[in-house]
Each structure stands twice: as structure tokens, then as C-alpha cells.
Amino acid sequence: MSEQHIPVMLKECMHYLNIQPTLNYVDATFGRGGLSKAILEQLTTGKLSVIDQDLAAIEAALRLQKDYPNLIVEHTNYSELQSLLHKHNLACVGGILVDCGVSSVQLDEGERGFSYRFDAKLDMRMNQNQTLTAYDVVNTYTPAQLLHILYTYGEENNAKMIVRGLMKAREVKPIETTFELVDVIKSSLPAKILKQQGHPAKQTFQAIRIAVNQELDHLESFLKQATACLCPQGRCVTLTFHSLEDRLVKQHFKALSTPPKTNKRLPQQEVTLEYQTLHAKAIVADEHEIDINPRAKSAKLRAILKL
Ligand SMILES: C[S@@+](CC[C@H](N)C(=O)[O-])C[C@H]1O[C@@H](n2cnc3c(N)ncnc32)[C@H](O)[C@@H]1O
């Protein structure tokens, strides 16, 4: 099992964070700390608060704390950002980083049930203390709920066929493992679709994982808090890995950095914008990085500055 997560666009993240050694920062998704270590290396009196909802990630962060006493570690959801900063008496911070989704370590820990490559119980919880699991979603959600999840979180065009297959299988017995779920998906789809490129269970697994961890709701709540918690000249840098996450970031940053539309026939009021995006288009990884780390292929980096 791999304990490795290669950080994506590390150089670009550091460029857009523009670390000031005496300021305080937040890495909202510690993972295995690749990005956190790069930030810590640049801090002098500044502190870095790191968050992760995964206990194994938190254990790794606590080990790192031995070398960096200015590291604050919190096992929580990043949607608790504001209360965490309040708890540590931080009125605002110089920068906040979020690297969304699951880490390579989580995917490679077969028993976590995130991957269709390993046989395991249907779990997919990033936070091991959470009660809702993939088993509950797959076996107890209504057909309408499952259709919604597969269409919206998985952008799965074959959602109807897959949900029909799931309901049929559930009549016989609960679907208990990742491989059982893969078999149900495969037997729900015609040969023509199974022959297409890509694993037939990929989008369903992504959709169920997003539902289990309520990823989009937490990200939306986090983004509002993160941009509100920046000190003047503070920056929020985001890394997203699919269009649903990227859309949330893009829309939130756009709403903060563009003047509201007004009726041109009415007297115009001057609007002072408080935020500025730091690039025109989202930043993507170069081919060299994608060759070394295929995970970088779907990554998009966005950054915003509080004026
Ligand atoms: C892509 S990895 C981060 C990798 C990290 N940047 C590194 O260099 O090792 C995402 C991490 O964020 C955590 N995570 C995802 N969503 C979260 C949330 N809503 N709250 C807290 N942690 C979250 C996951 O448990 C995972 O460890």
C-alpha cells in the first residue's frame, strides 16, 4: 500500500500563495503534507494551521509537528474553517489553500472502498467517524435519489440503466462490496457501452463518493468562509479535479471579483471591489508534470486576492 501522494502543481500553488514568512496560513486539506511542507519551509514566525477529516492524514500531520512547532493540526471538516480560526484567535490569515477530493493514499488503501480496483466493503468515508457509508447510499437510497446522484455528481449518461440494475440486485440481496457493485454496473450496461474507453464504474464510484462525503456542500460552505477569512493582500488558492468542483470555485471567485450588473439607464454608483482574481483562465499542469503524475491531468488551479 502506498503512503505517497505526489502534490499537484506545487510550484504554481506556492507562486500564487506568495508566502510571507511572518504571516499565518491554512492548508485545508493536509493529505500527506506535500504542500504543507513547502509552506512550512518558507515560514519563520508565521503559523500554519492544517485540516483534514481523515484520521490517517491527521496522524501524518502530528508526526510532522515534531519538526515544526509552528504547525497547528485539526481533525475536522474544512467547512468548520471559521470556528477553527476563532478557536486559535486568528482574526484573518495571509493565505488559504485547498486541494480537493481524495488523496492517492486514500485511493490506494483498498480497504477504504474508494476504488473499483480493490475488493472491499462499500465504505468511501473520508472521515472514519462519519456514520453514512457508500453501503447506505447504494442499498437504502430511493431510485430518484440515486438517479440524481449519478447524473449530477457522476455526469453518468447511463444513470437510468445503472439504477435499474441496482434496484434489481437489491431485491435479491444487499450490495456489500466494491466488486459486487462493479459487477452490478457491468451487468446493467449493454456490450456496446462496456467496450467504450474507461472503466464502466468510474463515474458511479465518483458520484457515490461525492454523495457519501457531501463534497460539494462542504466546498461551497468552505469557499465562502475562506474568502471572508483573508487579511488584506491575503490569497485563497484552490486545486480542483472535476468540473463540478471547479464550477463552484469559478462562480464564487467571479461573484466576488466582478461588479454587480446594474441597469445602465439608472444613475451609476461607484462599486469598490474587495477581491481580484489572479489569472484570466484557470491554471493547468504542464505536459511534463502530467507525464510524471497522471492525476495532474484533470487539475485546475484558481487563485483570488483580497484587496
Ligand atoms: C488531494 S488530498 C490533499 C493532498 C495534499 N495537498 C498533499 O500534498 O498531500 C485531499 C485531502 O483532503 C481531505 N479532505 C477532503 N475533503 C475534506 C473536507 N471537506 N474537510 C477536511 N478534509 C478534507 C482528504 O481526506 C484528503 O486527505
Side-chain angles (χ1 to χ4, degrees), residues 3-38:
E3 256 294 305
Q4 266 250 314
H5 175 92
I6 307 170
V8 171
M9 283 195 265
L10 185 138
K11 205 163 53 76
E12 291 82 353
C13 285
M14 297 310 287
H15 170 76
Y16 283 103
L17 274 174
N18 188 31
I19 302 288
Q20 307 300 306
T22 57
L23 297 185
N24 298 317
Y25 289 84
V26 176
D27 178 353
T29 47
F30 180 81
R32 282 305 175 274
L35 293 169
S36 282
K37 280 179 216 156

PDB file of all heavy atoms in Angstrom, residues 3-38:
ATOM      1  N   GLU A   3       2.116   5.045   0.707  1.00  0.00           N
ATOM      2  CA  GLU A   3       1.924   6.123   1.694  1.00  0.00           C
ATOM      3  C   GLU A   3       2.239   7.447   1.015  1.00  0.00           C
ATOM      4  O   GLU A   3       2.536   8.444   1.656  1.00  0.00           O
ATOM      5  CB  GLU A   3       2.864   5.905   2.884  1.00  0.00           C
ATOM      6  CG  GLU A   3       2.176   5.363   4.135  1.00  0.00           C
ATOM      7  CD  GLU A   3       1.160   6.308   4.782  1.00  0.00           C
ATOM      8  OE1 GLU A   3       1.512   7.448   5.109  1.00  0.00           O
ATOM      9  OE2 GLU A   3       0.006   5.886   4.958  1.00  0.00           O
ATOM     10  N   GLN A   4       2.245   7.411  -0.326  1.00  0.00           N
ATOM     11  CA  GLN A   4       2.720   8.554  -1.094  1.00  0.00           C
ATOM     12  C   GLN A   4       1.584   9.296  -1.769  1.00  0.00           C
ATOM     13  O   GLN A   4       0.680   8.684  -2.320  1.00  0.00           O
ATOM     14  CB  GLN A   4       3.641   8.026  -2.183  1.00  0.00           C
ATOM     15  CG  GLN A   4       5.092   8.050  -1.780  1.00  0.00           C
ATOM     16  CD  GLN A   4       5.837   9.111  -2.577  1.00  0.00           C
ATOM     17  OE1 GLN A   4       5.672   9.185  -3.778  1.00  0.00           O
ATOM     18  NE2 GLN A   4       6.604   9.940  -1.901  1.00  0.00           N
ATOM     19  N   HIS A   5       1.641  10.612  -1.698  1.00  0.00           N
ATOM     20  CA  HIS A   5       0.745  11.421  -2.513  1.00  0.00           C
ATOM     21  C   HIS A   5       1.619  12.495  -3.145  1.00  0.00           C
ATOM     22  O   HIS A   5       2.219  13.296  -2.428  1.00  0.00           O
ATOM     23  CB  HIS A   5      -0.354  12.048  -1.655  1.00  0.00           C
ATOM     24  CG  HIS A   5      -1.212  12.981  -2.439  1.00  0.00           C
ATOM     25  ND1 HIS A   5      -2.361  12.571  -3.065  1.00  0.00           N
ATOM     26  CD2 HIS A   5      -1.069  14.301  -2.749  1.00  0.00           C
ATOM     27  CE1 HIS A   5      -2.898  13.596  -3.717  1.00  0.00           C
ATOM     28  NE2 HIS A   5      -2.126  14.651  -3.537  1.00  0.00           N
ATOM     29  N   ILE A   6       1.721  12.474  -4.468  1.00  0.00           N
ATOM     30  CA  ILE A   6       2.559  13.493  -5.121  1.00  0.00           C
ATOM     31  C   ILE A   6       1.717  14.759  -5.272  1.00  0.00           C
ATOM     32  O   ILE A   6       0.668  14.740  -5.929  1.00  0.00           O
ATOM     33  CB  ILE A   6       3.030  13.020  -6.522  1.00  0.00           C
ATOM     34  CG1 ILE A   6       3.691  11.645  -6.433  1.00  0.00           C
ATOM     35  CG2 ILE A   6       3.962  14.037  -7.149  1.00  0.00           C
ATOM     36  CD1 ILE A   6       3.957  11.004  -7.791  1.00  0.00           C
ATOM     37  N   PRO A   7       2.139  15.863  -4.633  1.00  0.00           N
ATOM     38  CA  PRO A   7       1.321  17.079  -4.741  1.00  0.00           C
ATOM     39  C   PRO A   7       1.245  17.565  -6.194  1.00  0.00           C
ATOM     40  O   PRO A   7       2.208  17.446  -6.930  1.00  0.00           O
ATOM     41  CB  PRO A   7       2.052  18.104  -3.871  1.00  0.00           C
ATOM     42  CG  PRO A   7       3.180  17.416  -3.232  1.00  0.00           C
ATOM     43  CD  PRO A   7       3.349  16.064  -3.827  1.00  0.00           C
ATOM     44  N   VAL A   8       0.106  18.073  -6.552  1.00  0.00           N
ATOM     45  CA  VAL A   8      -0.115  18.561  -7.922  1.00  0.00           C
ATOM     46  C   VAL A   8       0.173  20.071  -7.967  1.00  0.00           C
ATOM     47  O   VAL A   8      -0.200  20.810  -7.052  1.00  0.00           O
ATOM     48  CB  VAL A   8      -1.578  18.267  -8.343  1.00  0.00           C
ATOM     49  CG1 VAL A   8      -1.926  18.932  -9.657  1.00  0.00           C
ATOM     50  CG2 VAL A   8      -1.799  16.764  -8.443  1.00  0.00           C
ATOM     51  N   MET A   9       0.844  20.488  -9.034  1.00  0.00           N
ATOM     52  CA  MET A   9       1.156  21.918  -9.279  1.00  0.00           C
ATOM     53  C   MET A   9       1.709  22.618  -8.030  1.00  0.00           C
ATOM     54  O   MET A   9       1.267  23.710  -7.672  1.00  0.00           O
ATOM     55  CB  MET A   9      -0.092  22.649  -9.813  1.00  0.00           C
ATOM     56  CG  MET A   9      -0.352  22.356 -11.269  1.00  0.00           C
ATOM     57  SD  MET A   9      -1.516  23.495 -12.036  1.00  0.00           S
ATOM     58  CE  MET A   9      -3.035  22.611 -11.872  1.00  0.00           C
ATOM     59  N   LEU A  10       2.655  21.970  -7.393  1.00  0.00           N
ATOM     60  CA  LEU A  10       3.238  22.524  -6.163  1.00  0.00           C
ATOM     61  C   LEU A  10       3.863  23.908  -6.421  1.00  0.00           C
ATOM     62  O   LEU A  10       3.617  24.865  -5.674  1.00  0.00           O
ATOM     63  CB  LEU A  10       4.281  21.548  -5.611  1.00  0.00           C
ATOM     64  CG  LEU A  10       4.885  21.938  -4.268  1.00  0.00           C
ATOM     65  CD1 LEU A  10       5.002  20.706  -3.379  1.00  0.00           C
ATOM     66  CD2 LEU A  10       6.240  22.570  -4.379  1.00  0.00           C
ATOM     67  N   LYS A  11       4.638  23.991  -7.499  1.00  0.00           N
ATOM     68  CA  LYS A  11       5.323  25.262  -7.814  1.00  0.00           C
ATOM     69  C   LYS A  11       4.282  26.372  -8.024  1.00  0.00           C
ATOM     70  O   LYS A  11       4.406  27.473  -7.503  1.00  0.00           O
ATOM     71  CB  LYS A  11       6.139  25.053  -9.096  1.00  0.00           C
ATOM     72  CG  LYS A  11       7.312  25.982  -9.239  1.00  0.00           C
ATOM     73  CD  LYS A  11       8.318  25.489 -10.276  1.00  0.00           C
ATOM     74  CE  LYS A  11       7.816  25.178 -11.603  1.00  0.00           C
ATOM     75  NZ  LYS A  11       7.412  25.516 -12.713  1.00  0.00           N
ATOM     76  N   GLU A  12       3.225  26.028  -8.761  1.00  0.00           N
ATOM     77  CA  GLU A  12       2.200  27.036  -9.077  1.00  0.00           C
ATOM     78  C   GLU A  12       1.433  27.428  -7.810  1.00  0.00           C
ATOM     79  O   GLU A  12       1.103  28.599  -7.607  1.00  0.00           O
ATOM     80  CB  GLU A  12       1.228  26.480 -10.129  1.00  0.00           C
ATOM     81  CG  GLU A  12       1.828  26.281 -11.520  1.00  0.00           C
ATOM     82  CD  GLU A  12       2.614  24.974 -11.680  1.00  0.00           C
ATOM     83  OE1 GLU A  12       2.817  24.266 -10.670  1.00  0.00           O
ATOM     84  OE2 GLU A  12       3.029  24.675 -12.810  1.00  0.00           O
ATOM     85  N   CYS A  13       1.122  26.452  -6.942  1.00  0.00           N
ATOM     86  CA  CYS A  13       0.423  26.760  -5.679  1.00  0.00           C
ATOM     87  C   CYS A  13       1.259  27.746  -4.867  1.00  0.00           C
ATOM     88  O   CYS A  13       0.734  28.736  -4.334  1.00  0.00           O
ATOM     89  CB  CYS A  13       0.211  25.496  -4.836  1.00  0.00           C
ATOM     90  SG  CYS A  13      -1.077  24.428  -5.458  1.00  0.00           S
ATOM     91  N   MET A  14       2.568  27.479  -4.783  1.00  0.00           N
ATOM     92  CA  MET A  14       3.437  28.344  -3.976  1.00  0.00           C
ATOM     93  C   MET A  14       3.536  29.728  -4.608  1.00  0.00           C
ATOM     94  O   MET A  14       3.550  30.746  -3.915  1.00  0.00           O
ATOM     95  CB  MET A  14       4.835  27.721  -3.827  1.00  0.00           C
ATOM     96  CG  MET A  14       4.833  26.399  -3.079  1.00  0.00           C
ATOM     97  SD  MET A  14       3.949  26.466  -1.512  1.00  0.00           S
ATOM     98  CE  MET A  14       5.088  27.410  -0.533  1.00  0.00           C
ATOM     99  N   HIS A  15       3.583  29.769  -5.925  1.00  0.00           N
ATOM    100  CA  HIS A  15       3.650  31.066  -6.608  1.00  0.00           C
ATOM    101  C   HIS A  15       2.419  31.912  -6.267  1.00  0.00           C
ATOM    102  O   HIS A  15       2.534  33.079  -5.897  1.00  0.00           O
ATOM    103  CB  HIS A  15       3.747  30.834  -8.127  1.00  0.00           C
ATOM    104  CG  HIS A  15       3.576  32.078  -8.920  1.00  0.00           C
ATOM    105  ND1 HIS A  15       4.567  33.028  -9.038  1.00  0.00           N
ATOM    106  CD2 HIS A  15       2.503  32.570  -9.606  1.00  0.00           C
ATOM    107  CE1 HIS A  15       4.126  34.034  -9.776  1.00  0.00           C
ATOM    108  NE2 HIS A  15       2.871  33.781 -10.130  1.00  0.00           N
ATOM    109  N   TYR A  16       1.241  31.293  -6.372  1.00  0.00           N
ATOM    110  CA  TYR A  16       0.014  32.077  -6.134  1.00  0.00           C
ATOM    111  C   TYR A  16      -0.225  32.356  -4.658  1.00  0.00           C
ATOM    112  O   TYR A  16      -0.866  33.345  -4.311  1.00  0.00           O
ATOM    113  CB  TYR A  16      -1.192  31.391  -6.788  1.00  0.00           C
ATOM    114  CG  TYR A  16      -1.196  31.638  -8.278  1.00  0.00           C
ATOM    115  CD1 TYR A  16      -0.783  30.660  -9.171  1.00  0.00           C
ATOM    116  CD2 TYR A  16      -1.555  32.890  -8.783  1.00  0.00           C
ATOM    117  CE1 TYR A  16      -0.737  30.908 -10.536  1.00  0.00           C
ATOM    118  CE2 TYR A  16      -1.517  33.140 -10.146  1.00  0.00           C
ATOM    119  CZ  TYR A  16      -1.111  32.143 -11.014  1.00  0.00           C
ATOM    120  OH  TYR A  16      -1.065  32.414 -12.357  1.00  0.00           O
ATOM    121  N   LEU A  17       0.285  31.502  -3.776  1.00  0.00           N
ATOM    122  CA  LEU A  17       0.124  31.786  -2.333  1.00  0.00           C
ATOM    123  C   LEU A  17       1.024  32.944  -1.905  1.00  0.00           C
ATOM    124  O   LEU A  17       0.700  33.695  -0.986  1.00  0.00           O
ATOM    125  CB  LEU A  17       0.465  30.556  -1.494  1.00  0.00           C
ATOM    126  CG  LEU A  17      -0.648  29.557  -1.263  1.00  0.00           C
ATOM    127  CD1 LEU A  17      -0.110  28.324  -0.552  1.00  0.00           C
ATOM    128  CD2 LEU A  17      -1.811  30.162  -0.449  1.00  0.00           C
ATOM    129  N   ASN A  18       2.188  33.051  -2.565  1.00  0.00           N
ATOM    130  CA  ASN A  18       3.123  34.159  -2.302  1.00  0.00           C
ATOM    131  C   ASN A  18       3.365  34.324  -0.793  1.00  0.00           C
ATOM    132  O   ASN A  18       3.078  35.366  -0.202  1.00  0.00           O
ATOM    133  CB  ASN A  18       2.539  35.445  -2.915  1.00  0.00           C
ATOM    134  CG  ASN A  18       3.505  36.598  -2.872  1.00  0.00           C
ATOM    135  OD1 ASN A  18       4.715  36.388  -2.943  1.00  0.00           O
ATOM    136  ND2 ASN A  18       3.000  37.819  -2.715  1.00  0.00           N
ATOM    137  N   ILE A  19       3.909  33.264  -0.182  1.00  0.00           N
ATOM    138  CA  ILE A  19       4.054  33.186   1.286  1.00  0.00           C
ATOM    139  C   ILE A  19       4.883  34.343   1.855  1.00  0.00           C
ATOM    140  O   ILE A  19       5.983  34.622   1.369  1.00  0.00           O
ATOM    141  CB  ILE A  19       4.722  31.842   1.673  1.00  0.00           C
ATOM    142  CG1 ILE A  19       3.919  30.655   1.168  1.00  0.00           C
ATOM    143  CG2 ILE A  19       4.980  31.769   3.187  1.00  0.00           C
ATOM    144  CD1 ILE A  19       2.626  30.377   1.867  1.00  0.00           C
ATOM    145  N   GLN A  20       4.351  34.972   2.885  1.00  0.00           N
ATOM    146  CA  GLN A  20       5.090  35.986   3.656  1.00  0.00           C
ATOM    147  C   GLN A  20       5.484  35.292   4.965  1.00  0.00           C
ATOM    148  O   GLN A  20       4.595  34.845   5.715  1.00  0.00           O
ATOM    149  CB  GLN A  20       4.198  37.206   3.945  1.00  0.00           C
ATOM    150  CG  GLN A  20       3.550  37.818   2.709  1.00  0.00           C
ATOM    151  CD  GLN A  20       4.577  38.303   1.703  1.00  0.00           C
ATOM    152  OE1 GLN A  20       5.466  39.078   2.058  1.00  0.00           O
ATOM    153  NE2 GLN A  20       4.497  37.816   0.471  1.00  0.00           N
ATOM    154  N   PRO A  21       6.799  35.190   5.253  1.00  0.00           N
ATOM    155  CA  PRO A  21       7.269  34.308   6.336  1.00  0.00           C
ATOM    156  C   PRO A  21       6.681  34.576   7.718  1.00  0.00           C
ATOM    157  O   PRO A  21       6.674  33.676   8.556  1.00  0.00           O
ATOM    158  CB  PRO A  21       8.780  34.552   6.349  1.00  0.00           C
ATOM    159  CG  PRO A  21       9.104  35.101   5.007  1.00  0.00           C
ATOM    160  CD  PRO A  21       7.898  35.815   4.509  1.00  0.00           C
ATOM    161  N   THR A  22       6.171  35.780   7.963  1.00  0.00           N
ATOM    162  CA  THR A  22       5.692  36.072   9.322  1.00  0.00           C
ATOM    163  C   THR A  22       4.166  35.974   9.442  1.00  0.00           C
ATOM    164  O   THR A  22       3.615  36.188  10.520  1.00  0.00           O
ATOM    165  CB  THR A  22       6.122  37.496   9.739  1.00  0.00           C
ATOM    166  OG1 THR A  22       5.596  38.397   8.766  1.00  0.00           O
ATOM    167  CG2 THR A  22       7.635  37.624   9.810  1.00  0.00           C
ATOM    168  N   LEU A  23       3.498  35.669   8.335  1.00  0.00           N
ATOM    169  CA  LEU A  23       2.021  35.615   8.395  1.00  0.00           C
ATOM    170  C   LEU A  23       1.540  34.184   8.690  1.00  0.00           C
ATOM    171  O   LEU A  23       2.299  33.226   8.604  1.00  0.00           O
ATOM    172  CB  LEU A  23       1.421  36.102   7.072  1.00  0.00           C
ATOM    173  CG  LEU A  23       1.698  37.557   6.692  1.00  0.00           C
ATOM    174  CD1 LEU A  23       0.941  37.919   5.417  1.00  0.00           C
ATOM    175  CD2 LEU A  23       1.291  38.515   7.825  1.00  0.00           C
ATOM    176  N   ASN A  24       0.248  34.089   9.000  1.00  0.00           N
ATOM    177  CA  ASN A  24      -0.357  32.780   9.301  1.00  0.00           C
ATOM    178  C   ASN A  24      -1.114  32.252   8.078  1.00  0.00           C
ATOM    179  O   ASN A  24      -1.747  33.030   7.354  1.00  0.00           O
ATOM    180  CB  ASN A  24      -1.321  32.914  10.476  1.00  0.00           C
ATOM    181  CG  ASN A  24      -0.596  33.358  11.718  1.00  0.00           C
ATOM    182  OD1 ASN A  24       0.485  32.866  12.022  1.00  0.00           O
ATOM    183  ND2 ASN A  24      -1.165  34.314  12.439  1.00  0.00           N
ATOM    184  N   TYR A  25      -1.055  30.936   7.900  1.00  0.00           N
ATOM    185  CA  TYR A  25      -1.669  30.304   6.719  1.00  0.00           C
ATOM    186  C   TYR A  25      -2.506  29.097   7.115  1.00  0.00           C
ATOM    187  O   TYR A  25      -2.376  28.577   8.233  1.00  0.00           O
ATOM    188  CB  TYR A  25      -0.570  29.866   5.726  1.00  0.00           C
ATOM    189  CG  TYR A  25       0.057  31.067   5.061  1.00  0.00           C
ATOM    190  CD1 TYR A  25       1.092  31.774   5.684  1.00  0.00           C
ATOM    191  CD2 TYR A  25      -0.424  31.536   3.847  1.00  0.00           C
ATOM    192  CE1 TYR A  25       1.634  32.910   5.109  1.00  0.00           C
ATOM    193  CE2 TYR A  25       0.110  32.672   3.255  1.00  0.00           C
ATOM    194  CZ  TYR A  25       1.141  33.344   3.888  1.00  0.00           C
ATOM    195  OH  TYR A  25       1.655  34.467   3.310  1.00  0.00           O
ATOM    196  N   VAL A  26      -3.349  28.639   6.171  1.00  0.00           N
ATOM    197  CA  VAL A  26      -4.140  27.426   6.384  1.00  0.00           C
ATOM    198  C   VAL A  26      -3.976  26.506   5.177  1.00  0.00           C
ATOM    199  O   VAL A  26      -4.113  26.951   4.038  1.00  0.00           O
ATOM    200  CB  VAL A  26      -5.653  27.754   6.540  1.00  0.00           C
ATOM    201  CG1 VAL A  26      -6.469  26.464   6.651  1.00  0.00           C
ATOM    202  CG2 VAL A  26      -5.918  28.648   7.735  1.00  0.00           C
ATOM    203  N   ASP A  27      -3.658  25.215   5.436  1.00  0.00           N
ATOM    204  CA  ASP A  27      -3.788  24.194   4.400  1.00  0.00           C
ATOM    205  C   ASP A  27      -5.011  23.372   4.818  1.00  0.00           C
ATOM    206  O   ASP A  27      -4.961  22.610   5.782  1.00  0.00           O
ATOM    207  CB  ASP A  27      -2.520  23.325   4.329  1.00  0.00           C
ATOM    208  CG  ASP A  27      -2.641  22.217   3.279  1.00  0.00           C
ATOM    209  OD1 ASP A  27      -3.746  22.050   2.720  1.00  0.00           O
ATOM    210  OD2 ASP A  27      -1.646  21.509   3.037  1.00  0.00           O
ATOM    211  N   ALA A  28      -6.110  23.540   4.085  1.00  0.00           N
ATOM    212  CA  ALA A  28      -7.389  22.942   4.496  1.00  0.00           C
ATOM    213  C   ALA A  28      -7.470  21.457   4.171  1.00  0.00           C
ATOM    214  O   ALA A  28      -8.413  20.786   4.587  1.00  0.00           O
ATOM    215  CB  ALA A  28      -8.535  23.686   3.826  1.00  0.00           C
ATOM    216  N   THR A  29      -6.506  20.932   3.411  1.00  0.00           N
ATOM    217  CA  THR A  29      -6.529  19.521   3.006  1.00  0.00           C
ATOM    218  C   THR A  29      -5.109  18.966   3.126  1.00  0.00           C
ATOM    219  O   THR A  29      -4.391  18.851   2.128  1.00  0.00           O
ATOM    220  CB  THR A  29      -7.034  19.389   1.552  1.00  0.00           C
ATOM    221  OG1 THR A  29      -6.335  20.358   0.748  1.00  0.00           O
ATOM    222  CG2 THR A  29      -8.524  19.626   1.439  1.00  0.00           C
ATOM    223  N   PHE A  30      -4.708  18.601   4.332  1.00  0.00           N
ATOM    224  CA  PHE A  30      -3.316  18.205   4.604  1.00  0.00           C
ATOM    225  C   PHE A  30      -2.889  16.995   3.782  1.00  0.00           C
ATOM    226  O   PHE A  30      -1.785  16.971   3.231  1.00  0.00           O
ATOM    227  CB  PHE A  30      -3.145  17.924   6.104  1.00  0.00           C
ATOM    228  CG  PHE A  30      -1.752  17.503   6.456  1.00  0.00           C
ATOM    229  CD1 PHE A  30      -0.752  18.451   6.629  1.00  0.00           C
ATOM    230  CD2 PHE A  30      -1.421  16.155   6.595  1.00  0.00           C
ATOM    231  CE1 PHE A  30       0.558  18.064   6.925  1.00  0.00           C
ATOM    232  CE2 PHE A  30      -0.112  15.761   6.901  1.00  0.00           C
ATOM    233  CZ  PHE A  30       0.867  16.719   7.071  1.00  0.00           C
ATOM    234  N   GLY A  31      -3.724  15.962   3.688  1.00  0.00           N
ATOM    235  CA  GLY A  31      -3.357  14.738   2.946  1.00  0.00           C
ATOM    236  C   GLY A  31      -2.129  14.087   3.541  1.00  0.00           C
ATOM    237  O   GLY A  31      -2.127  13.652   4.696  1.00  0.00           O
ATOM    238  N   ARG A  32      -1.017  14.101   2.787  1.00  0.00           N
ATOM    239  CA  ARG A  32       0.252  13.629   3.346  1.00  0.00           C
ATOM    240  C   ARG A  32       1.242  14.792   3.471  1.00  0.00           C
ATOM    241  O   ARG A  32       2.443  14.595   3.637  1.00  0.00           O
ATOM    242  CB  ARG A  32       0.842  12.491   2.513  1.00  0.00           C
ATOM    243  CG  ARG A  32       0.162  11.154   2.772  1.00  0.00           C
ATOM    244  CD  ARG A  32       0.174  10.764   4.260  1.00  0.00           C
ATOM    245  NE  ARG A  32      -0.581   9.547   4.529  1.00  0.00           N
ATOM    246  CZ  ARG A  32      -1.891   9.516   4.763  1.00  0.00           C
ATOM    247  NH1 ARG A  32      -2.607  10.631   4.745  1.00  0.00           N
ATOM    248  NH2 ARG A  32      -2.502   8.378   5.026  1.00  0.00           N
ATOM    249  N   GLY A  33       0.719  16.027   3.349  1.00  0.00           N
ATOM    250  CA  GLY A  33       1.503  17.198   3.729  1.00  0.00           C
ATOM    251  C   GLY A  33       2.504  17.702   2.706  1.00  0.00           C
ATOM    252  O   GLY A  33       3.360  18.524   3.035  1.00  0.00           O
ATOM    253  N   GLY A  34       2.401  17.244   1.464  1.00  0.00           N
ATOM    254  CA  GLY A  34       3.353  17.709   0.444  1.00  0.00           C
ATOM    255  C   GLY A  34       3.324  19.229   0.306  1.00  0.00           C
ATOM    256  O   GLY A  34       4.372  19.888   0.304  1.00  0.00           O
ATOM    257  N   LEU A  35       2.127  19.798   0.223  1.00  0.00           N
ATOM    258  CA  LEU A  35       2.017  21.249   0.067  1.00  0.00           C
ATOM    259  C   LEU A  35       2.303  21.949   1.391  1.00  0.00           C
ATOM    260  O   LEU A  35       2.936  22.999   1.427  1.00  0.00           O
ATOM    261  CB  LEU A  35       0.625  21.616  -0.479  1.00  0.00           C
ATOM    262  CG  LEU A  35       0.367  21.128  -1.919  1.00  0.00           C
ATOM    263  CD1 LEU A  35      -1.094  21.274  -2.303  1.00  0.00           C
ATOM    264  CD2 LEU A  35       1.236  21.892  -2.914  1.00  0.00           C
ATOM    265  N   SER A  36       1.844  21.343   2.505  1.00  0.00           N
ATOM    266  CA  SER A  36       2.093  21.936   3.830  1.00  0.00           C
ATOM    267  C   SER A  36       3.592  22.089   4.089  1.00  0.00           C
ATOM    268  O   SER A  36       4.046  23.116   4.584  1.00  0.00           O
ATOM    269  CB  SER A  36       1.515  21.050   4.933  1.00  0.00           C
ATOM    270  OG  SER A  36       0.133  21.224   5.031  1.00  0.00           O
ATOM    271  N   LYS A  37       4.362  21.051   3.736  1.00  0.00           N
ATOM    272  CA  LYS A  37       5.816  21.115   3.988  1.00  0.00           C
ATOM    273  C   LYS A  37       6.430  22.273   3.215  1.00  0.00           C
ATOM    274  O   LYS A  37       7.280  22.995   3.748  1.00  0.00           O
ATOM    275  CB  LYS A  37       6.489  19.801   3.578  1.00  0.00           C
ATOM    276  CG  LYS A  37       6.322  18.710   4.621  1.00  0.00           C
ATOM    277  CD  LYS A  37       6.988  17.418   4.166  1.00  0.00           C
ATOM    278  CE  LYS A  37       6.159  16.238   4.629  1.00  0.00           C
ATOM    279  NZ  LYS A  37       6.320  15.032   3.854  1.00  0.00           N
ATOM    280  N   ALA A  38       6.002  22.460   1.983  1.00  0.00           N
ATOM    281  CA  ALA A  38       6.555  23.559   1.180  1.00  0.00           C
ATOM    282  C   ALA A  38       6.220  24.912   1.822  1.00  0.00           C
ATOM    283  O   ALA A  38       7.045  25.832   1.823  1.00  0.00           O
ATOM    284  CB  ALA A  38       6.003  23.484  -0.243  1.00  0.00           C
TER     285      ALA A  38
END
